[in-house]
PDB file of all heavy atoms in Angstrom:
ATOM      1  N   GLY A   1      62.334  34.791  16.116  1.00 94.00           N
ATOM      2  CA  GLY A   1      61.464  35.612  15.318  1.00 94.00           C
ATOM      3  C   GLY A   1      60.822  35.071  14.166  1.00 94.00           C
ATOM      4  O   GLY A   1      60.193  35.883  13.344  1.00 94.00           O
ATOM      5  N   ALA A   2      60.815  33.734  13.893  1.00 95.00           N
ATOM      6  CA  ALA A   2      60.148  33.162  12.711  1.00 95.00           C
ATOM      7  C   ALA A   2      59.638  31.841  13.214  1.00 95.00           C
ATOM      8  O   ALA A   2      60.022  31.222  14.154  1.00 95.00           O
ATOM      9  CB  ALA A   2      61.168  33.088  11.534  1.00 95.00           C
ATOM     10  N   ARG A   3      58.632  31.335  12.264  1.00 95.00           N
ATOM     11  CA  ARG A   3      58.027  30.041  12.757  1.00 95.00           C
ATOM     12  C   ARG A   3      58.705  28.800  12.155  1.00 95.00           C
ATOM     13  O   ARG A   3      59.173  28.842  10.990  1.00 95.00           O
ATOM     14  CB  ARG A   3      56.528  30.040  12.089  1.00 95.00           C
ATOM     15  CG  ARG A   3      55.680  31.309  12.594  1.00 95.00           C
ATOM     16  CD  ARG A   3      55.504  31.337  14.039  1.00 95.00           C
ATOM     17  NE  ARG A   3      54.584  30.367  14.539  1.00 95.00           N
ATOM     18  CZ  ARG A   3      54.315  30.109  15.901  1.00 95.00           C
ATOM     19  NH1 ARG A   3      54.873  30.869  16.712  1.00 95.00           N
ATOM     20  NH2 ARG A   3      53.396  29.245  16.221  1.00 95.00           N
ATOM     21  N   THR A   4      58.820  27.768  12.925  1.00 95.00           N
ATOM     22  CA  THR A   4      59.473  26.530  12.529  1.00 95.00           C
ATOM     23  C   THR A   4      58.709  25.489  13.388  1.00 95.00           C
ATOM     24  O   THR A   4      57.810  25.753  14.190  1.00 95.00           O
ATOM     25  CB  THR A   4      60.858  26.580  12.741  1.00 95.00           C
ATOM     26  OG1 THR A   4      61.442  25.359  12.083  1.00 95.00           O
ATOM     27  CG2 THR A   4      61.285  26.595  14.160  1.00 95.00           C
ATOM     28  N   LYS A   5      59.194  24.180  13.209  1.00 95.00           N
ATOM     29  CA  LYS A   5      58.587  23.169  13.990  1.00 95.00           C
ATOM     30  C   LYS A   5      59.663  22.544  14.749  1.00 95.00           C
ATOM     31  O   LYS A   5      60.697  22.299  14.429  1.00 95.00           O
ATOM     32  CB  LYS A   5      57.899  22.163  13.006  1.00 95.00           C
ATOM     33  CG  LYS A   5      56.692  22.709  12.304  1.00 95.00           C
ATOM     34  CD  LYS A   5      55.848  21.723  11.560  1.00 95.00           C
ATOM     35  CE  LYS A   5      54.551  22.101  11.075  1.00 95.00           C
ATOM     36  NZ  LYS A   5      53.736  21.079  10.264  1.00 95.00           N
ATOM     37  N   MET A   6      59.247  22.106  15.993  1.00 96.00           N
ATOM     38  CA  MET A   6      60.113  21.300  16.867  1.00 96.00           C
ATOM     39  C   MET A   6      59.346  20.048  17.362  1.00 96.00           C
ATOM     40  O   MET A   6      58.056  20.088  17.514  1.00 96.00           O
ATOM     41  CB  MET A   6      60.520  22.272  18.050  1.00 96.00           C
ATOM     42  CG  MET A   6      61.462  23.306  17.598  1.00 96.00           C
ATOM     43  SD  MET A   6      62.192  24.223  19.004  1.00 96.00           S
ATOM     44  CE  MET A   6      63.313  25.275  18.167  1.00 96.00           C
ATOM     45  N   PRO A   7      60.008  19.028  17.780  1.00 95.00           N
ATOM     46  CA  PRO A   7      59.430  17.741  18.319  1.00 95.00           C
ATOM     47  C   PRO A   7      58.653  17.972  19.588  1.00 95.00           C
ATOM     48  O   PRO A   7      59.155  18.651  20.394  1.00 95.00           O
ATOM     49  CB  PRO A   7      60.502  16.801  18.426  1.00 95.00           C
ATOM     50  CG  PRO A   7      61.695  17.717  18.570  1.00 95.00           C
ATOM     51  CD  PRO A   7      61.439  18.890  17.836  1.00 95.00           C
ATOM     52  N   PRO A   8      57.478  17.414  19.690  1.00 95.00           N
ATOM     53  CA  PRO A   8      56.779  17.573  21.006  1.00 95.00           C
ATOM     54  C   PRO A   8      57.196  16.592  22.005  1.00 95.00           C
ATOM     55  O   PRO A   8      56.650  16.587  23.149  1.00 95.00           O
ATOM     56  CB  PRO A   8      55.316  17.317  20.597  1.00 95.00           C
ATOM     57  CG  PRO A   8      55.424  16.387  19.417  1.00 95.00           C
ATOM     58  CD  PRO A   8      56.738  16.667  18.712  1.00 95.00           C
ATOM     59  N   GLY A   9      57.977  15.625  21.683  1.00 95.00           N
ATOM     60  CA  GLY A   9      58.318  14.538  22.557  1.00 95.00           C
ATOM     61  C   GLY A   9      58.711  14.952  24.006  1.00 95.00           C
ATOM     62  O   GLY A   9      58.246  14.444  24.976  1.00 95.00           O
ATOM     63  N   PRO A  10      59.739  15.846  24.122  1.00 97.00           N
ATOM     64  CA  PRO A  10      60.086  16.215  25.520  1.00 97.00           C
ATOM     65  C   PRO A  10      59.003  16.730  26.301  1.00 97.00           C
ATOM     66  O   PRO A  10      58.907  16.368  27.499  1.00 97.00           O
ATOM     67  CB  PRO A  10      61.245  17.303  25.201  1.00 97.00           C
ATOM     68  CG  PRO A  10      61.830  16.963  23.876  1.00 97.00           C
ATOM     69  CD  PRO A  10      60.624  16.376  23.053  1.00 97.00           C
ATOM     70  N   ALA A  11      58.134  17.654  25.763  1.00 97.00           N
ATOM     71  CA  ALA A  11      57.001  18.134  26.426  1.00 97.00           C
ATOM     72  C   ALA A  11      56.016  16.989  26.808  1.00 97.00           C
ATOM     73  O   ALA A  11      55.573  16.858  28.037  1.00 97.00           O
ATOM     74  CB  ALA A  11      56.298  19.197  25.583  1.00 97.00           C
ATOM     75  N   LEU A  12      55.670  16.153  25.918  1.00 97.00           N
ATOM     76  CA  LEU A  12      54.726  15.114  26.162  1.00 97.00           C
ATOM     77  C   LEU A  12      55.267  14.171  27.225  1.00 97.00           C
ATOM     78  O   LEU A  12      54.436  13.736  28.066  1.00 97.00           O
ATOM     79  CB  LEU A  12      54.477  14.438  24.908  1.00 97.00           C
ATOM     80  CG  LEU A  12      53.578  15.271  23.804  1.00 97.00           C
ATOM     81  CD1 LEU A  12      53.538  14.369  22.630  1.00 97.00           C
ATOM     82  CD2 LEU A  12      52.103  15.386  24.430  1.00 97.00           C
ATOM     83  N   LEU A  13      56.509  13.883  27.161  1.00 97.00           N
ATOM     84  CA  LEU A  13      57.056  13.004  28.179  1.00 97.00           C
ATOM     85  C   LEU A  13      57.048  13.591  29.620  1.00 97.00           C
ATOM     86  O   LEU A  13      56.752  12.865  30.515  1.00 97.00           O
ATOM     87  CB  LEU A  13      58.609  12.587  27.940  1.00 97.00           C
ATOM     88  CG  LEU A  13      58.676  11.574  26.787  1.00 97.00           C
ATOM     89  CD1 LEU A  13      60.228  11.466  26.500  1.00 97.00           C
ATOM     90  CD2 LEU A  13      58.338  10.163  27.421  1.00 97.00           C
ATOM     91  N   ALA A  14      57.323  14.827  29.719  1.00 97.00           N
ATOM     92  CA  ALA A  14      57.251  15.512  31.075  1.00 97.00           C
ATOM     93  C   ALA A  14      55.801  15.488  31.491  1.00 97.00           C
ATOM     94  O   ALA A  14      55.465  15.399  32.671  1.00 97.00           O
ATOM     95  CB  ALA A  14      57.766  16.867  30.940  1.00 97.00           C
ATOM     96  N   LEU A  15      54.842  15.866  30.493  1.00 97.00           N
ATOM     97  CA  LEU A  15      53.540  15.962  31.044  1.00 97.00           C
ATOM     98  C   LEU A  15      52.865  14.472  31.364  1.00 97.00           C
ATOM     99  O   LEU A  15      52.143  14.548  32.302  1.00 97.00           O
ATOM    100  CB  LEU A  15      52.597  16.615  29.823  1.00 97.00           C
ATOM    101  CG  LEU A  15      52.898  18.066  29.639  1.00 97.00           C
ATOM    102  CD1 LEU A  15      52.203  18.478  28.209  1.00 97.00           C
ATOM    103  CD2 LEU A  15      52.358  18.947  30.638  1.00 97.00           C
ATOM    104  N   ARG A  16      53.319  13.535  30.744  1.00 96.00           N
ATOM    105  CA  ARG A  16      52.828  12.208  30.942  1.00 96.00           C
ATOM    106  C   ARG A  16      53.372  11.687  32.184  1.00 96.00           C
ATOM    107  O   ARG A  16      52.643  11.029  33.053  1.00 96.00           O
ATOM    108  CB  ARG A  16      53.209  11.293  29.751  1.00 96.00           C
ATOM    109  CG  ARG A  16      53.047   9.832  30.024  1.00 96.00           C
ATOM    110  CD  ARG A  16      51.638   9.440  29.939  1.00 96.00           C
ATOM    111  NE  ARG A  16      51.389   8.041  30.014  1.00 96.00           N
ATOM    112  CZ  ARG A  16      51.453   7.084  28.964  1.00 96.00           C
ATOM    113  NH1 ARG A  16      51.797   7.526  27.762  1.00 96.00           N
ATOM    114  NH2 ARG A  16      51.390   5.825  29.182  1.00 96.00           N
ATOM    115  N   THR A  17      54.657  12.012  32.625  1.00 96.00           N
ATOM    116  CA  THR A  17      55.276  11.392  33.829  1.00 96.00           C
ATOM    117  C   THR A  17      55.337  12.279  34.888  1.00 96.00           C
ATOM    118  O   THR A  17      55.489  11.987  36.098  1.00 96.00           O
ATOM    119  CB  THR A  17      56.753  10.902  33.506  1.00 96.00           C
ATOM    120  OG1 THR A  17      57.504  12.188  33.022  1.00 96.00           O
ATOM    121  CG2 THR A  17      56.778   9.973  32.233  1.00 96.00           C
ATOM    122  N   GLY A  18      55.263  13.556  34.647  1.00 95.00           N
ATOM    123  CA  GLY A  18      55.449  14.552  35.755  1.00 95.00           C
ATOM    124  C   GLY A  18      56.981  14.739  36.143  1.00 95.00           C
ATOM    125  O   GLY A  18      57.211  15.406  37.088  1.00 95.00           O
ATOM    126  N   ALA A  19      57.902  14.232  35.264  1.00 96.00           N
ATOM    127  CA  ALA A  19      59.300  14.281  35.619  1.00 96.00           C
ATOM    128  C   ALA A  19      59.789  15.697  35.430  1.00 96.00           C
ATOM    129  O   ALA A  19      59.284  16.459  34.664  1.00 96.00           O
ATOM    130  CB  ALA A  19      60.086  13.305  34.789  1.00 96.00           C
ATOM    131  N   PRO A  20      60.788  16.138  36.073  1.00 97.00           N
ATOM    132  CA  PRO A  20      61.443  17.520  35.894  1.00 97.00           C
ATOM    133  C   PRO A  20      61.834  17.542  34.308  1.00 97.00           C
ATOM    134  O   PRO A  20      62.342  16.594  33.796  1.00 97.00           O
ATOM    135  CB  PRO A  20      62.572  17.477  36.721  1.00 97.00           C
ATOM    136  CG  PRO A  20      62.243  16.541  37.887  1.00 97.00           C
ATOM    137  CD  PRO A  20      61.471  15.453  37.225  1.00 97.00           C
ATOM    138  N   LEU A  21      61.564  18.781  33.780  1.00 98.00           N
ATOM    139  CA  LEU A  21      61.974  19.104  32.472  1.00 98.00           C
ATOM    140  C   LEU A  21      62.949  20.189  32.522  1.00 98.00           C
ATOM    141  O   LEU A  21      62.763  21.280  33.047  1.00 98.00           O
ATOM    142  CB  LEU A  21      60.679  19.512  31.651  1.00 98.00           C
ATOM    143  CG  LEU A  21      60.974  20.040  30.216  1.00 98.00           C
ATOM    144  CD1 LEU A  21      61.518  18.860  29.388  1.00 98.00           C
ATOM    145  CD2 LEU A  21      59.720  20.498  29.686  1.00 98.00           C
ATOM    146  N   TYR A  22      64.202  19.899  31.884  1.00 98.00           N
ATOM    147  CA  TYR A  22      65.249  20.885  31.710  1.00 98.00           C
ATOM    148  C   TYR A  22      65.517  21.134  30.240  1.00 98.00           C
ATOM    149  O   TYR A  22      65.352  20.444  29.503  1.00 98.00           O
ATOM    150  CB  TYR A  22      66.526  20.398  32.326  1.00 98.00           C
ATOM    151  CG  TYR A  22      66.291  19.947  33.825  1.00 98.00           C
ATOM    152  CD1 TYR A  22      66.086  18.707  34.203  1.00 98.00           C
ATOM    153  CD2 TYR A  22      66.455  21.053  34.797  1.00 98.00           C
ATOM    154  CE1 TYR A  22      65.963  18.330  35.494  1.00 98.00           C
ATOM    155  CE2 TYR A  22      66.238  20.623  36.117  1.00 98.00           C
ATOM    156  CZ  TYR A  22      66.055  19.254  36.540  1.00 98.00           C
ATOM    157  OH  TYR A  22      65.973  18.942  37.870  1.00 98.00           O
ATOM    158  N   VAL A  23      66.014  22.414  29.969  1.00 98.00           N
ATOM    159  CA  VAL A  23      66.585  22.701  28.723  1.00 98.00           C
ATOM    160  C   VAL A  23      68.007  23.024  28.827  1.00 98.00           C
ATOM    161  O   VAL A  23      68.503  23.802  29.767  1.00 98.00           O
ATOM    162  CB  VAL A  23      65.786  23.923  28.210  1.00 98.00           C
ATOM    163  CG1 VAL A  23      66.416  24.336  26.780  1.00 98.00           C
ATOM    164  CG2 VAL A  23      64.316  23.802  27.971  1.00 98.00           C
ATOM    165  N   ALA A  24      68.827  22.401  27.931  1.00 98.00           N
ATOM    166  CA  ALA A  24      70.260  22.484  28.005  1.00 98.00           C
ATOM    167  C   ALA A  24      70.744  23.478  27.108  1.00 98.00           C
ATOM    168  O   ALA A  24      70.347  23.604  25.961  1.00 98.00           O
ATOM    169  CB  ALA A  24      70.881  21.082  27.924  1.00 98.00           C
ATOM    170  N   SER A  25      71.748  24.256  27.499  1.00 98.00           N
ATOM    171  CA  SER A  25      72.590  25.052  26.654  1.00 98.00           C
ATOM    172  C   SER A  25      73.963  24.301  26.446  1.00 98.00           C
ATOM    173  O   SER A  25      74.380  23.858  27.578  1.00 98.00           O
ATOM    174  CB  SER A  25      72.806  26.418  27.340  1.00 98.00           C
ATOM    175  OG  SER A  25      73.740  27.162  26.478  1.00 98.00           O
ATOM    176  N   MET A  26      74.494  24.174  25.276  1.00 98.00           N
ATOM    177  CA  MET A  26      75.690  23.303  25.077  1.00 98.00           C
ATOM    178  C   MET A  26      76.680  24.197  24.288  1.00 98.00           C
ATOM    179  O   MET A  26      76.438  24.842  23.271  1.00 98.00           O
ATOM    180  CB  MET A  26      75.297  22.035  24.451  1.00 98.00           C
ATOM    181  CG  MET A  26      74.230  21.339  25.176  1.00 98.00           C
ATOM    182  SD  MET A  26      73.995  19.655  24.539  1.00 98.00           S
ATOM    183  CE  MET A  26      75.447  18.738  25.217  1.00 98.00           C
ATOM    184  N   TRP A  27      77.997  24.073  24.711  1.00 98.00           N
ATOM    185  CA  TRP A  27      79.045  24.859  24.028  1.00 98.00           C
ATOM    186  C   TRP A  27      80.373  24.172  24.192  1.00 98.00           C
ATOM    187  O   TRP A  27      80.480  23.207  25.022  1.00 98.00           O
ATOM    188  CB  TRP A  27      79.042  26.341  24.424  1.00 98.00           C
ATOM    189  CG  TRP A  27      79.383  26.582  25.795  1.00 98.00           C
ATOM    190  CD1 TRP A  27      80.757  26.881  26.236  1.00 98.00           C
ATOM    191  CD2 TRP A  27      78.621  26.411  27.029  1.00 98.00           C
ATOM    192  NE1 TRP A  27      80.731  27.029  27.638  1.00 98.00           N
ATOM    193  CE2 TRP A  27      79.500  26.783  28.149  1.00 98.00           C
ATOM    194  CE3 TRP A  27      77.322  26.148  27.270  1.00 98.00           C
ATOM    195  CZ2 TRP A  27      79.051  26.884  29.409  1.00 98.00           C
ATOM    196  CZ3 TRP A  27      76.899  26.143  28.607  1.00 98.00           C
ATOM    197  CH2 TRP A  27      77.707  26.524  29.661  1.00 98.00           C
ATOM    198  N   TYR A  28      81.305  24.694  23.643  1.00 98.00           N
ATOM    199  CA  TYR A  28      82.817  24.258  23.910  1.00 98.00           C
ATOM    200  C   TYR A  28      83.593  25.305  24.592  1.00 98.00           C
ATOM    201  O   TYR A  28      83.423  26.498  24.331  1.00 98.00           O
ATOM    202  CB  TYR A  28      83.420  23.993  22.615  1.00 98.00           C
ATOM    203  CG  TYR A  28      83.250  22.685  22.068  1.00 98.00           C
ATOM    204  CD1 TYR A  28      82.649  22.467  20.812  1.00 98.00           C
ATOM    205  CD2 TYR A  28      83.671  21.575  22.671  1.00 98.00           C
ATOM    206  CE1 TYR A  28      82.641  21.103  20.225  1.00 98.00           C
ATOM    207  CE2 TYR A  28      83.455  20.271  22.176  1.00 98.00           C
ATOM    208  CZ  TYR A  28      82.939  20.132  21.003  1.00 98.00           C
ATOM    209  OH  TYR A  28      82.794  18.821  20.473  1.00 98.00           O
ATOM    210  N   GLU A  29      84.468  24.914  25.493  1.00 97.00           N
ATOM    211  CA  GLU A  29      85.501  25.687  26.107  1.00 97.00           C
ATOM    212  C   GLU A  29      86.814  25.019  25.510  1.00 97.00           C
ATOM    213  O   GLU A  29      86.723  23.911  24.903  1.00 97.00           O
ATOM    214  CB  GLU A  29      85.519  25.626  27.541  1.00 97.00           C
ATOM    215  CG  GLU A  29      84.403  26.390  28.190  1.00 97.00           C
ATOM    216  CD  GLU A  29      84.305  27.833  28.102  1.00 97.00           C
ATOM    217  OE1 GLU A  29      85.244  28.484  27.709  1.00 97.00           O
ATOM    218  OE2 GLU A  29      83.246  28.371  28.368  1.00 97.00           O
ATOM    219  N   PRO A  30      87.898  25.703  25.633  1.00 95.00           N
ATOM    220  CA  PRO A  30      89.134  25.129  24.996  1.00 95.00           C
ATOM    221  C   PRO A  30      89.343  23.677  25.480  1.00 95.00           C
ATOM    222  O   PRO A  30      89.924  22.851  24.832  1.00 95.00           O
ATOM    223  CB  PRO A  30      90.174  26.127  25.349  1.00 95.00           C
ATOM    224  CG  PRO A  30      89.532  27.460  25.413  1.00 95.00           C
ATOM    225  CD  PRO A  30      88.120  27.110  26.025  1.00 95.00           C
ATOM    226  N   ASP A  31      89.216  23.493  26.808  1.00 94.00           N
ATOM    227  CA  ASP A  31      89.619  22.287  27.396  1.00 94.00           C
ATOM    228  C   ASP A  31      88.413  21.184  27.642  1.00 94.00           C
ATOM    229  O   ASP A  31      88.681  20.194  28.148  1.00 94.00           O
ATOM    230  CB  ASP A  31      90.188  22.519  28.793  1.00 94.00           C
ATOM    231  CG  ASP A  31      89.163  23.225  29.751  1.00 94.00           C
ATOM    232  OD1 ASP A  31      88.375  23.884  29.329  1.00 94.00           O
ATOM    233  OD2 ASP A  31      89.348  22.935  31.057  1.00 94.00           O
ATOM    234  N   ALA A  32      87.283  21.568  27.208  1.00 97.00           N
ATOM    235  CA  ALA A  32      86.146  20.588  27.607  1.00 97.00           C
ATOM    236  C   ALA A  32      84.835  21.088  26.725  1.00 97.00           C
ATOM    237  O   ALA A  32      84.669  22.218  26.359  1.00 97.00           O
ATOM    238  CB  ALA A  32      85.880  20.720  29.121  1.00 97.00           C
ATOM    239  N   ALA A  33      83.980  20.014  26.531  1.00 98.00           N
ATOM    240  CA  ALA A  33      82.695  20.366  26.049  1.00 98.00           C
ATOM    241  C   ALA A  33      81.844  20.774  27.408  1.00 98.00           C
ATOM    242  O   ALA A  33      81.942  20.204  28.447  1.00 98.00           O
ATOM    243  CB  ALA A  33      82.033  19.186  25.513  1.00 98.00           C
ATOM    244  N   CYS A  34      80.916  21.664  27.308  1.00 98.00           N
ATOM    245  CA  CYS A  34      80.303  22.334  28.534  1.00 98.00           C
ATOM    246  C   CYS A  34      78.629  22.215  28.235  1.00 98.00           C
ATOM    247  O   CYS A  34      78.276  22.284  27.179  1.00 98.00           O
ATOM    248  CB  CYS A  34      80.732  23.566  28.789  1.00 98.00           C
ATOM    249  SG  CYS A  34      82.419  23.706  29.241  1.00 98.00           S
ATOM    250  N   ALA A  35      77.945  22.311  29.292  1.00 98.00           N
ATOM    251  CA  ALA A  35      76.447  22.516  29.171  1.00 98.00           C
ATOM    252  C   ALA A  35      75.999  23.106  30.589  1.00 98.00           C
ATOM    253  O   ALA A  35      76.702  22.981  31.497  1.00 98.00           O
ATOM    254  CB  ALA A  35      75.830  21.070  29.043  1.00 98.00           C
ATOM    255  N   SER A  36      74.807  23.725  30.406  1.00 98.00           N
ATOM    256  CA  SER A  36      74.127  24.235  31.605  1.00 98.00           C
ATOM    257  C   SER A  36      72.659  23.905  31.441  1.00 98.00           C
ATOM    258  O   SER A  36      72.140  23.744  30.467  1.00 98.00           O
ATOM    259  CB  SER A  36      74.361  25.757  31.776  1.00 98.00           C
ATOM    260  OG  SER A  36      73.820  26.477  30.711  1.00 98.00           O
ATOM    261  N   LEU A  37      72.012  23.752  32.692  1.00 97.00           N
ATOM    262  CA  LEU A  37      70.670  23.479  32.690  1.00 97.00           C
ATOM    263  C   LEU A  37      69.788  24.678  33.007  1.00 97.00           C
ATOM    264  O   LEU A  37      70.034  25.346  33.928  1.00 97.00           O
ATOM    265  CB  LEU A  37      70.326  22.301  33.541  1.00 97.00           C
ATOM    266  CG  LEU A  37      71.042  20.969  33.252  1.00 97.00           C
ATOM    267  CD1 LEU A  37      70.691  19.935  34.352  1.00 97.00           C
ATOM    268  CD2 LEU A  37      70.654  20.424  31.932  1.00 97.00           C
ATOM    269  N   GLU A  38      68.665  24.824  32.339  1.00 96.00           N
ATOM    270  CA  GLU A  38      67.602  25.723  32.730  1.00 96.00           C
ATOM    271  C   GLU A  38      66.409  24.953  33.245  1.00 96.00           C
ATOM    272  O   GLU A  38      65.986  23.986  32.530  1.00 96.00           O
ATOM    273  CB  GLU A  38      67.129  26.560  31.608  1.00 96.00           C
ATOM    274  CG  GLU A  38      65.921  27.574  31.899  1.00 96.00           C
ATOM    275  CD  GLU A  38      65.327  28.044  30.666  1.00 96.00           C
ATOM    276  OE1 GLU A  38      65.781  28.045  29.684  1.00 96.00           O
ATOM    277  OE2 GLU A  38      64.060  28.491  30.894  1.00 96.00           O
TER     278      GLU A  38
END
């Protein structure tokens, strides 16, 4: 809900190469570090 700045690198790399672009969610469970991909 507010304006800030983020790096354009991931977007530019995907646009330049056509490679799949994913966004990761990262968190902890008691026994492991975890992530999921969108």
Side-chain angles (χ1 to χ4, degrees):
R3 305 298 288 178
T4 188
K5 288 187 176 182
M6 291 187 177
L12 288 170
L13 279 171
L15 291 170
R16 171 76 175 272
T17 63
L21 170 64
Y22 302 96
V23 177
S25 174
M26 305 190 74
W27 70 95
Y28 272 123
E29 297 290 348
D31 63 330
C34 300
S36 64
L37 297 179
E38 174 196 346

